């Protein structure tokens, strides 16, 4: 294609054991997918999980620092299992949904909590609180077939463990998340889905070293600069 301006770079994430990288098309995120986190956010136990999104260029590949963003004084970590799709479709039944999975990664849904609370109070959209630059650091993707990860998901700030739970505690499991997403969008190869965070979200400040992991999937670490 001949471009009238310099073409934007394709965002991509490294893959464990592969020279090739995973190109990112779109980033969907699930909100309130762990009951204890839903409660700490003031949610009602009957509220089902829901989706929001981040732009692909919010992704921060492993090995990079994260710049403390402007316009916030309360920047929060949310450790999440991330699903990477190799195939797509619309109205995908949950029984077929795992066939779409390329692999899994560990990600952090970085949130300007002060802006999010303000937006919630006024019934305004979440883009500025969720979809800002460098708001989605991620580990390498681990190719995966079969039953999704179920084990420990954790995050530490400066060596102190802040979030520590089990992926098995998700309200919507991975297959249900993909099925639900595909009722709202045609999902496609290159899509990443952040599957929600467990309880224990909290602030990060400049200089903090943040580490996180999902058992069997991998770990990530980055510094807030
Ligand atoms: Mn989240």
């Amino acid at each position: 294609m001949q471009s009238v301006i310099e073409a934007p770079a394709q965002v991509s994430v490294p893959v464990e054991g592969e020279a090739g990288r995973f190109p990112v098309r779109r980033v969907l995120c699930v909100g309130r997918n762990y009951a204890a986190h839903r409660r700490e956010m003031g949610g009602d136990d009957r509220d089902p999980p829901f989706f929001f999104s981040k732009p692909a260029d919010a992704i921060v590949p492993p090995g990079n620092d994260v710049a403390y963003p402007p316009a916030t004084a309360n920047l929060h970590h949310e450790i999440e299992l991330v699903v990477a799709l190799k195939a797509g479709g619309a109205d995908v039944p949950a029984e077929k949904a795992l066939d779409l999975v390329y692999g899994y990664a560990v990600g952090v849904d970085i949130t300007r909590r002060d802006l999010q609370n303000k937006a919630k109070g006024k019934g305004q959209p979440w883009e500025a609180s969720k979809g800002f630059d460098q708001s989605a650091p991620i580990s390498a993707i681990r190719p995966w077939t079969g039953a999704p990860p179920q084990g420990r998901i954790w995050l530490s700030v400066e060596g102190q463990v802040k979030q520590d739970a089990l992926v098995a505690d998700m309200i919507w499991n991975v297959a249900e998340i993909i099925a639900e997403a595909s009722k709202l969008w045609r999902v496609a190869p290159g899509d990443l889905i952040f599957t929600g965070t467990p309880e224990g979200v909290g602030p990060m400040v400049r200089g903090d070293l943040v580490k996180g992991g999902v058992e069997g999937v991998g770990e990530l670490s980055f510094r807030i600069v």
Side-chain angles (χ1 to χ4, degrees), residues 30 52 78 80 109 130 196-197:
V30 182
F52 59 93
E78 296 191 355
E80 310 204 357
D109 165 16
K130 288 289 196 180
T197 197

Side-chain angles (χ1 to χ4, degrees), residues 6-29:
E6 190 180 338
Q10 169 68 56
V11 176
S12 67
V13 180
V15 176
E16 293 283 351
E18 295 282 353
R21 294 173 70 92
F22 182 91
V24 179
R25 187 184 84 112
R26 185 157 69 180
V27 182
L28 293 176
C29 304

Side-chain angles (χ1 to χ4, degrees), residues 29-32 37 52 54 78-80 108-111 113 130 194-197 201:
C29 304
V30 182
R32 298 190 177 172
H37 172 64
F52 59 93
K54 295 181 186 251
E78 296 191 355
I79 188 75
E80 310 204 357
V108 180
D109 165 16
I110 300 184
T111 303
R113 193 71 72 201
K130 288 289 196 180
F194 281 61
T195 59
T197 197
V201 301

Side-chain angles (χ1 to χ4, degrees), residues 13-14 63 65 78 84 101 117 128 135 152 201 205 224:
V13 180
D65 292 333
E78 296 191 355
V101 174
N117 288 338
S135 60
R152 184 177 176 227
V201 301
V205 297
I224 302 288

